[in-house]
Amino acid sequence: PISAQSVCRRLLLPCKQRATPSRGVVSMRDRCTAPKLVEEGDEPMQWYFSYGANMSSIVLARRGVKVARSVIGRLPGWRLEFNYLGYDGVEPRFASVVSMAAADATLSPTARAGGSGGCDVPVHGVAHELEVDALAVLDEVEDEGVSYKRVRLPFEGYGGERLEAWAYVAMPAWVSPGLPSQRYLEILCRGAEQHGLIPEYLAWLSERPCFEFGATAVATIAAAAAAAPLPAARHPPAPAPAPAPAP
């Protein structure tokens, strides 16, 4: 299971280190010495594509990221998947994006012929223009190079804009299909609605299956109660006899 520290990151709480399946604990000092993807001399303003919780301007503000402007659109050839390992029982999975061609190429010809490939709905989201320093903040939140890898992908805006934007793709060590929590899915839907993503995508997103902690807990408790033996009946004590009348 994923570490509690990583859950803190997803829930906007600060933490100083992160456990990984293959690399053990990665300290903040190691993170600071890791090579940066944005080199000196790059444009001072960068585009970042958000498809998950960071679509919400409230979430970005809490993380200290200032946005110059935002453009809504999609990543052609990439789809949304909830495949980043989360914390079982609380936040089972988080979002990532997957190349449609690369993902479907791993299927056998029989599976592809039978329609077993992933959905063909490209991921929609928000491209935010921000300063290079803000990317460092996002790298820290997303554990860039450990949990997610930041890559440039082609973005198409609803208004015809075409640009390249940074996006975070889950590292293979953390990929495992599953369900997001209802809370997390609702955050994505609110962000999509807030920025005005097309209704068809919002409807598709809101219909994704999710993990409902409350319903699961109630069902578990009910099943345990049904399997347990009934306690012995307890009868109330007999009432005390009425006192005899005075002579």
Side-chain angles (χ1 to χ4, degrees):
I2 200 169
S3 67
Q5 288 94 335
S6 182
V7 177
C8 292
R9 289 190 185 279
R10 302 274 86 79
L11 299 179
L12 314 181
L13 298 175
C15 60
K16 295 184 178 179
Q17 59 186 17
R18 170 70 185 276
T20 72
S22 58
R23 295 175 55 182
V25 173
V26 179
S27 69
M28 289 298 298
R29 182 175 58 186
D30 294 336
R31 297 265 302 121
C32 292
T33 58
K36 295 183 181 297
L37 290 175
V38 180
E39 302 291 345
E40 291 185 12
D42 281 358
E43 294 296 325
M45 303 299 290
Q46 300 283 323
W47 286 98
Y48 154 63
F49 178 78
S50 58
Y51 52 83
N54 284 346
M55 284 192 293
S56 169
S57 58
I58 296 176
V59 172
L60 281 178
R62 287 176 180 172
R63 290 174 171 171
V65 175
K66 295 182 179 180
V67 175
R69 57 175 170 151
S70 300
V71 177
I72 54 177
R74 59 185 175 271
L75 296 181
W78 291 75
R79 66 171 177 251
L80 179 74
E81 287 193 4
F82 296 101
N83 63 357
Y84 176 82
L85 280 169
Y87 192 63
D88 290 342
V90 180
E91 295 288 355
R93 295 294 185 276
F94 295 104
S96 182
V97 290
V98 176
S99 167
M100 295 182 187
D104 292 344
T106 61
L107 298 173
S108 67
T110 303
R112 285 196 294 271
S116 298
C119 73
D120 58 358
V121 177
V123 59
H124 291 236
V126 186
H128 301 292
E129 189 180 30
L130 39 79
E131 295 181 354
V132 173
D133 290 346
L135 287 176
V137 175
L138 292 171
D139 283 352
E140 179 62 29
V141 170
E142 305 295 350
D143 280 333
E144 200 288 320
V146 178
S147 301
Y148 285 86
K149 180 177 178 62
R150 177 156 54 85
V151 297
R152 284 189 189 271
L153 298 175
F155 169 84
E156 292 183 357
Y158 290 168
E161 303 89 346
R162 292 180 180 271
L163 52 91
E164 284 195 341
W166 294 108
Y168 290 91
V169 180
M171 299 286 280
W174 290 99
V175 171
S176 177
L179 297 178
S181 72
Q182 182 180 30
R183 183 202 74 89
Y184 182 69
L185 186 61
E186 288 175 351
I187 290 177
L188 269 61
C189 289
R190 285 197 298 270
E193 185 176 14
Q194 175 192 15
H195 286 285
L197 299 190
I198 59 174
E200 294 83 358
Y201 184 77
L202 181 57
W204 176 86
L205 184 62
S206 63
E207 292 170 357
R208 296 305 88 203
C210 62
F211 174 79
E212 299 181 31
F213 176 75
T216 302
V218 170
T220 302
I221 294 171
L230 293 175
R234 299 182 62 184
H235 300 285

